[in-house]
Amino acid sequence: MREGPDIARIAGLVGDPARANMLNALMGGTALTASELALEAGVSLPTASSHLSKLLEGGLLTLASQGRHRYYGLAGPQVAGMIEAITGVAETVGPRRVRPGPRDGAMRVARVCYDHLAGERAVAMLDRLVDKNVLVRDDKEIRLGASAGSHFAAIGIDVYTKPRRPVCRACLDWSERRSHLAGTLGAAILDKILMEKWARREKDSRAVVFSPPGKQAFEKVFLS
Amino acid sequence: MREGPDIARIAGLVGDPARANMLNALMGGTALTASELALEAGVSLPTASSHLSKLLEGGLLTLASQGRHRYYGLAGPQVAGMIEAITGVAETVGPRRVRPGPRDGAMRVARVCYDHLAGERAVAMLDRLVDKNVLVRDDKEIRLGASAGSHFAAIGIDVYTKPRRPVCRACLDWSERRSHLAGTLGAAILDKILMEKWARREKDSRAVVFSPPGKQAFEKVFLS
DNA sequence: AGAACGCTTCGATGGAGAACGAACAATGCG
DNA sequence: CGCATTGTTCGTTCTCCATCGAAGCGTTCT
């Protein structure tokens, strides 16, 4: 019977199937409307609305009203990290290692995590960037290396116009159990990948699938 | 309405106040009996027993029977990490930055995290060990440096008799938002600290309080 | 203005599960 | 062998909350 942060309150919010589905959908990074989330969760609109106000009240979501639309999004990277942590546990203690389906495989290779790329390919990318001293890993913190400016400028990403959020962050990957790159730089790289059409987002999934030439281009830029 | 690891199931288990209190108590690292946990959670013994079997079934706990005692413990570091992640979110979205009480302050300085030391002091220790190249940080992985054997042998810790669990692991600290040292080495160091009576565990809390000479001794060994 | 849309609020219903007392099982002690 | 200690199982009660239909409110389109 001890005091402290109310962890039951937070976990309880995630602990309802409908809400968990919504949060999962929002892990894709794009904010969604109430009706889209209702569809995702498989519940009626009033029910979804009720859940959303609870999540909002609980501080796990943010709301942006635009005209008659109301866009709900994850409250921040920390919330996303928590979801990944829970997913990791569910993955290991869950159904005794069910054989991974094809989509599951694609998810392991590359997927969206909030606003940046995750999975095998993302972990490899960060490793390589650190090897090349473009980025410097210093504990969980990741900093820009000396050559970062020119390296990213070459592919049209400006890393020196400081935004509010940190440029680099490490985010733990639940399938690889290692870190991948988050922060505004991680987000910018994902943008680049989608913008150049090196890969596209799988419909109704967090999976990101690379086209063969897209994969080559990606490897040339980030893994060479 | 997508598939994937059943995160609602796991979060739901943590989402009950009684169960959350139990898990919190077990974050102290020592396995506890059903009656101790009932006391912690503030529920009757039958109720506690019911919760414990749910947590066990859910894979979050392990059970060790010894005579008429049944010791429940956290299922592993991954579960502990998840709890820390949830705690972190609860901490930031929770009661608008309530002024930290004295015990809360002690918790931030040093506390037990599963089986090793966490908090400000633990983070500083890891930083220093990496600076001195006793340990080498390589992504989230931490490895032994060349001088690790002699360095730890000098204080009576053998790092080369390989156990099942990894010797070094990084664990994210919810109060510092940086990593501290886990793994068997982290556990051995905490043992050392308590064994030498440099510090003692606060009653009914995860807080670890150093005596003035204990603090000096600790700093001499780990922060010099 | 009127109609269509997007979403929230209200009220009623049903079901899940948290709680405890009492009984039952297992272990250890004198 | 009794008897205390430790836990689990059973049955019951009760509260909470997820759910949906219907109605209400603000926005946009024509």
Side-chain angles (χ1 to χ4, degrees):
Chain A
M1 204 59 168
R2 67 192 59 214
E3 282 318 306
D6 194 350
I7 117 173
R9 189 175 117 84
I10 301 300
L13 283 173
V14 188
D16 176 85
R19 285 193 292 260
N21 282 332
M22 291 173 170
L23 290 169
N24 231 330
L26 291 172
M27 283 294 280
T30 51
L32 298 173
T33 66
S35 34
E36 288 170 322
L37 287 166
L39 204 66
E40 284 291 339
V43 294
S44 73
L45 233 161
T47 305
S49 183
S50 155
H51 285 307
L52 288 169
S53 47
K54 274 169 191 149
L55 288 170
L56 199 59
E57 172 92 10
L60 299 188
L61 256 43
T62 55
L63 172 61
S65 286
Q66 277 178 30
R68 62 181 166 186
H69 295 275
R70 310 192 77 189
Y71 288 95
Y72 290 92
L74 286 193
Q78 202 185 10
V79 174
M82 176 187 74
I83 309 253
E84 282 266 327
I86 299 175
T87 306
V89 171
E91 177 85 349
T92 50
V93 309
R96 301 281 164 253
R97 280 281 152 226
V98 66
R99 101 197 61 174
R103 156 167 304 179
D104 207 53
M107 287 272 285
R108 271 171 217 287
V109 173
R111 65 181 179 278
V112 171
C113 172
Y114 187 49
D115 62 358
H116 54 270
L117 195 69
E120 196 179 289
R121 197 151 293 162
V123 171
M125 178 183 78
L126 177 56
D127 281 352
R128 192 70 191 100
L129 288 173
V130 170
D131 276 355
K132 286 193 289 187
N133 279 312
V134 173
L135 299 181
V136 178
R137 185 150 26 198
D138 177 27
D139 183 27
K140 201 166 183 65
E141 308 292 322
I142 297 179
R143 295 195 324 272
L144 296 173
S147 62
S150 57
H151 188 274
F152 286 111
I155 55 173
I157 295 176
D158 171 20
V159 293
Y160 285 128
T161 340
K162 289 270 174 172
R164 254 157 296 169
R165 289 176 48 199
V167 176
C168 301
R169 271 192 67 252
C171 178
L172 189 57
D173 199 297
W174 63 255
S175 56
E176 296 292 306
R177 308 255 187 113
R178 304 194 51 209
S179 299
H180 56 245
L181 182 63
T184 54
L185 178 55
I189 291 176
L190 176 58
D191 274 354
K192 167 90 176 170
I193 290 168
L194 298 175
M195 205 74 83
E196 298 279 354
K197 297 213 191 308
W198 291 346
R200 60 178 174 73
R201 304 222 14 202
E202 187 81 7
K203 176 80 175 162
D204 289 333
S205 160
R206 287 167 60 192
V208 170
V209 279
F210 282 73
S211 67
K215 179 159 178 282
Q216 284 204 339
F218 174 84
E219 287 174 349
K220 183 147 182 283
V221 174
F222 290 111
L223 297 183
S224 63
Chain B
M1 204 59 167
R2 64 193 64 214
E3 282 320 304
D6 194 351
I7 115 174
R9 190 175 116 85
I10 302 301
L13 283 172
V14 188
D16 176 85
R19 286 194 292 261
N21 281 333
M22 290 175 170
L23 290 169
N24 230 331
L26 290 172
M27 284 294 280
T30 52
L32 299 173
T33 66
S35 34
E36 288 169 322
L37 287 166
L39 204 65
E40 284 290 340
V43 294
S44 75
L45 230 160
T47 304
S49 184
S50 155
H51 285 306
L52 288 169
S53 49
K54 273 168 192 149
L55 288 170
L56 199 60
E57 172 91 11
L60 299 189
L61 257 42
T62 55
L63 172 60
S65 286
Q66 277 178 29
R68 62 179 165 184
H69 294 276
R70 311 192 76 189
Y71 288 95
Y72 291 92
L74 286 193
Q78 203 185 9
V79 175
M82 175 187 74
I83 310 256
E84 283 265 326
I86 299 175
T87 307
V89 172
E91 177 84 353
T92 49
V93 308
R96 301 280 164 252
R97 280 279 155 229
V98 67
R99 99 197 65 173
R103 156 168 304 177
D104 206 53
M107 287 272 285
R108 272 171 217 285
V109 173
R111 65 180 179 279
V112 172
C113 172
Y114 187 48
D115 61 359
H116 53 271
L117 196 69
E120 197 179 289
R121 197 151 291 164
V123 170
M125 179 183 77
L126 177 56
D127 280 351
R128 192 71 191 99
L129 288 173
V130 170
D131 275 355
K132 286 193 288 188
N133 279 311
V134 174
L135 299 180
V136 178
R137 187 150 23 200
D138 177 25
D139 185 27
K140 200 167 183 67
E141 308 293 320
I142 297 179
R143 297 195 323 272
L144 296 173
S147 62
S150 58
H151 188 274
F152 287 111
I155 55 173
I157 294 177
D158 172 19
V159 292
Y160 285 130
T161 343
K162 288 272 172 170
R164 255 157 297 171
R165 287 175 48 198
V167 177
C168 301
R169 272 192 68 253
C171 180
L172 188 58
D173 200 298
W174 64 256
S175 55
E176 295 294 304
R177 310 254 187 112
R178 303 195 50 209
S179 298
H180 57 244
L181 182 63
T184 56
L185 179 54
I189 291 176
L190 176 59
D191 275 354
K192 168 88 177 171
I193 290 168
L194 298 176
M195 204 74 82
E196 298 280 352
K197 296 212 192 309
W198 290 346
R200 61 178 173 71
R201 304 218 20 198
E202 189 81 6
K203 177 78 173 163
D204 290 334
S205 159
R206 287 167 60 192
V208 171
V209 279
F210 282 72
S211 67
K215 178 159 178 283
Q216 283 204 339
F218 174 84
E219 287 174 350
K220 182 148 183 282
V221 175
F222 290 111
L223 296 183
S224 64

